Amino acid sequence: MSDDAGFICPRCGDHHAELPLGYSIAAPDIWEPRFETDRDSTLSSDQCVIRGQHFFIRGLIELPVIGGEDVFSWGVWVSLSKDNFARALEMWNTEGREAEKPYFGWLSTELALYSESTTDLKTNAHTRPVGSRPFIELEPTDHPLAVEQRTGITYDRVREIAAAVLHPA
């Protein structure tokens, strides 16, 4: 890549000053604004509970960028069982938490850039050191997102994603 971190957007034709290496989703797919007043629901930057029945954590699906040392990240939500969510909360600020076994979950974020739905893909959430979001490992299927996680993406693909996110159809 050149020293210019920006890119010419194929959708608008403008030069964007930066090529973002990640995007984050604010809430799980099933979150609705009306839950903000529900005492059994909460949404923070890292955890979500809906009606005291659905439990989520935010983590990162990381895609290695081919031809460099960069990593592209999708900040996504994963549903966990009540017990795994309780354990994740218990360990949230505990040094050494990265030794925890992964928590099984279901991807609860629709990434519309993919031809196949991303919601409900099987995942494992790997806890990392305090202050770092969990690494979300997708089940190794032939889903395009899972393939990208295993094989990496090019900088052209990063630019394609940036254009689609900046200028949704």
Side-chain angles (χ1 to χ4, degrees):
M1 260 184 95
S2 70
D3 291 337
D4 178 11
F7 71 107
I8 302 293
C9 180
R11 293 204 179 179
C12 71
D14 288 344
H15 180 269
H16 294 283
E18 291 184 49
L19 179 60
L21 289 172
Y23 296 95
S24 224
I25 310 306
D29 286 349
I30 66 169
W31 178 263
E32 296 177 14
R34 66 187 170 98
F35 295 141
E36 292 172 10
T37 58
D38 178 5
R39 68 172 192 222
D40 293 326
S41 299
T42 185
L43 175 64
S44 73
S45 61
D46 294 304
Q47 298 118 13
C48 179
V49 176
I50 297 176
R51 294 185 170 161
Q53 298 174 352
H54 304 281
F55 307 92
F56 307 88
I57 60 170
R58 186 190 253 172
L60 299 173
I61 295 175
E62 296 178 344
L63 313 176
V65 180
I66 299 166
E69 295 183 23
D70 291 323
V71 174
F72 180 89
S73 299
W74 286 112
V76 298
W77 293 88
V78 172
S79 68
L80 300 180
S81 69
K82 184 177 184 176
D83 290 343
N84 281 344
F85 183 77
R87 178 66 180 168
L89 284 183
E90 177 185 330
M91 299 299 292
W92 202 260
N93 293 310
T94 303
E95 294 297 325
R97 70 182 191 166
E98 61 273 18
E100 284 284 293
K101 66 179 184 165
Y103 305 118
F104 174 79
W106 298 95
L107 188 59
S108 300
T109 301
E110 185 61 43
L111 300 172
L113 282 83
Y114 292 90
S115 57
E116 299 174 36
S117 175
T118 57
T119 300
D120 291 332
L121 292 176
K122 292 180 182 179
T123 68
N124 278 301
H126 297 263
T127 307
R128 296 197 231 194
V130 172
S132 298
R133 286 205 167 105
F135 168 69
I136 305 302
E137 175 190 21
L138 297 170
E139 179 183 36
T141 64
D142 62 354
H143 187 284
L145 180 58
V147 171
E148 286 181 342
Q149 187 175 51
R150 288 193 310 275
T151 64
I153 60 175
T154 63
Y155 282 105
D156 284 342
R157 175 68 172 141
V158 175
R159 286 187 279 277
E160 178 185 312
I161 291 168
V165 170
L166 292 170
H167 308 290

